[in-house]
Amino acid sequence: MGPDATSPLNLVDLDSLLDDEERAIRDTVRELGVDRLRPHITEWFEAGTVPARDLAKQFGELGLLGMHLNGYGCAGTSVVAYGMACHELEAVDSGVRSLVSVQGSLAMFAIHRFGSEQHKEHWLPRMAAGDAIGCFGLTEADAGSDPSSMRTSARRLGAGDDADWIIDGSKLWITNGTVADVAVVWARTGDGVRGFVVPTDTPGFTAREIGHKLSLRASVTAELVLDGVRLPADAMLPAARGLGGPLSCLNEARLGIVFGALGAARDSLETAIAYAGERQVFDKPLSGYQLTQAKLADMTAELGTGMLLAVHLGRLKEAGSLAPAQVSLGKLNNVRAALKIARECRTILGASGITAEYAPLRHANNLESVLTYEGTTEVHQLVVGQALTGQSAFR
Ligand code: TGC
Ligand code: FAD
């Protein structure tokens, strides 16, 4: 649906919670979606690919990459502005939002928060402009929900802090992996888990695209192999020590998803409302039946309350008081709600809903990935459960 559609979010007057700049950014990204992304999204999804380099350049020109970071060519917007950009991008497709999340909240954030001045100056301006693409390698084939069991290792090639590093291992399910110029790779060292800035043209680094996906098809997902990758001593992110380093990057991306997933839900709901208004069943529009209206009302309630939660969490982050368990609560609630809404909207479309002509089933398929990545539903239930009870039930 386009920007003129009546939005179910008007019922919670979401606009009144945004400032002028946030509304302007939201509108700009919505226009980008309508003019330049929506015309191609079905084709990209069906082809199982996305023109990542071209999109990164377009996003960079609009200042969307690393937009809530300060300095080094980044726009320095509010957290809520970033969230609303994710919301509008994901209203087009979760894959398009993923490209921006991984670039800005994972790869750029890791360098911005934990990198040396040289890392920041070398990579961030080019990444903000979309001239360089980044990926973030944490997950491995046997270490997904539990990254502490990672096997990828980095060892010094000699004594002393000036010695080069050798990295061996592999990472799986890595967004942007085959199109990246730089990979932020997390590896086990004698000093715990550390992060490394790995230019992808380093000998021994290879990336292979994962095919046959039934979800997040408009996104590049890859396996990274690091076979004796030799890096200078200063390739290590100096300020990230232990698992807290990568996990704090996830907090950033997860918050974008709290807003983003409901973009896919909103688009599904707008599509269903429009369809139900036109579809005649038993001699009158489908939207005139109580059962349909009950579905639309329930979905609007979930969408609206989820967006209020998203903006509230965004404001807490801006105030510097957002805790990881609160991000988990938001991701748990909003992604699950979004998937439920997309599926319910599909039912309103009947058989038409199973074709690529309408977005809800594509969104639902994508949201299966969103439910899994950045911490599965179960991981976030356990994080919230731990916050409630004081007991860790992960192990
Ligand atoms: P645990 O012992 O609890 O903690 C280890 C250290 O990390 C700290 N920590 C955090 N720090 C910042 N933010 C958080 N959310 C944190 N959670 C934990 C913790 O304080 C501790 O620090 P220290 O200094 O005491 O050492 O860790 P655990 O091994 O028990 O694991 C906890 C668990 C399961 C919650 C965590 O490992 C987890 O979140 N697992 C899920 C993994 C995950 O989300 N992977 C995502 C990979 S990236 C991705 O999916 C990108 S998708 C593409 C896209 O976004 O579009
Ligand atoms: P597992 O950890 O094997 O989990 C399998 C099931 O077990 C899940 O239901 C899980 O919730 C459940 N489970 C696990 N532990 C427990 C427990 N303690 N108690 C109860 N149930 C439990 N990773 C990156 O590092 N970078 C990326 O860019 C990236 N992009 C991705 C893109 C896509 C499209 C996808 C699908 C994944 C991506 N990932 C990425 C990986 C993603 O983060 C992992 O898939 C996710 O963390 C889950 O890990 P897993 O798939 O190994 O599942």
Side-chain angles (χ1 to χ4, degrees), residues 119 227 346:
H119 291 142
D227 183 8
R346 209 290 305 156

Side-chain angles (χ1 to χ4, degrees), residues 98 102 106 135-147 171-177 186 213 215-216 219-222 250 254 366 368-380 382 393-395:
S98 265
V102 170
L106 295 180
C135 68
F136 182 88
L138 179 63
T139 305
E140 299 180 0
D142 296 320
S145 298
D146 178 15
K171 298 286 173 181
L172 200 60
W173 306 114
I174 306 305
T175 302
N176 297 348
W186 301 93
K213 289 182 297 175
S215 171
L216 223 76
S219 175
V220 172
T221 314
L250 299 185
R254 287 169 178 171
N366 286 337
E368 293 288 349
S369 284
V370 182
L371 200 69
T372 291
Y373 67 36
E374 295 283 1
T376 64
T377 301
E378 293 76 13
V379 160
H380 292 298
L382 292 171
F394 288 105
R395 292 185 165 78

Side-chain angles (χ1 to χ4, degrees), residues 1-5 7 9-10 14-16 18-38 62 64 67 80-89 91-92 266 270:
M1 300 297 296
D4 297 325
S7 174
L9 287 174
N10 290 346
L14 193 76
D15 272 26
S16 66
L18 308 178
D19 67 23
D20 289 346
E21 189 187 50
E22 289 161 350
R23 277 193 294 270
I25 289 171
R26 188 268 318 271
D27 292 346
T28 301
V29 182
R30 192 177 289 193
E31 250 172 60
L32 165 85
V34 171
D35 295 344
R36 294 195 248 160
L37 305 177
R38 285 176 191 268
L62 285 178
L64 301 180
M67 64 190 276
V80 170
Y82 167 63
M84 290 311 297
C86 288
H87 181 85
E88 291 303 331
L89 291 170
V92 179
R266 192 202 80 220
E270 288 176 353

Side-chain angles (χ1 to χ4, degrees), residues 117-156:
E117 201 47 42
Q118 194 203 348
H119 291 142
K120 296 179 200 183
E121 280 169 13
H122 182 75
W123 287 110
L124 293 179
R126 288 201 284 150
M127 293 173 85
D131 291 330
I133 295 182
C135 68
F136 182 88
L138 179 63
T139 305
E140 299 180 0
D142 296 320
S145 298
D146 178 15
S148 71
S149 62
M150 74 173 68
R151 294 213 186 104
T152 297
S153 67
R155 63 187 162 84
R156 295 273 194 191

Side-chain angles (χ1 to χ4, degrees), residues 155-164 233:
R155 63 187 162 84
R156 295 273 194 191
L157 198 62
D161 288 351
D162 291 340
D164 286 358

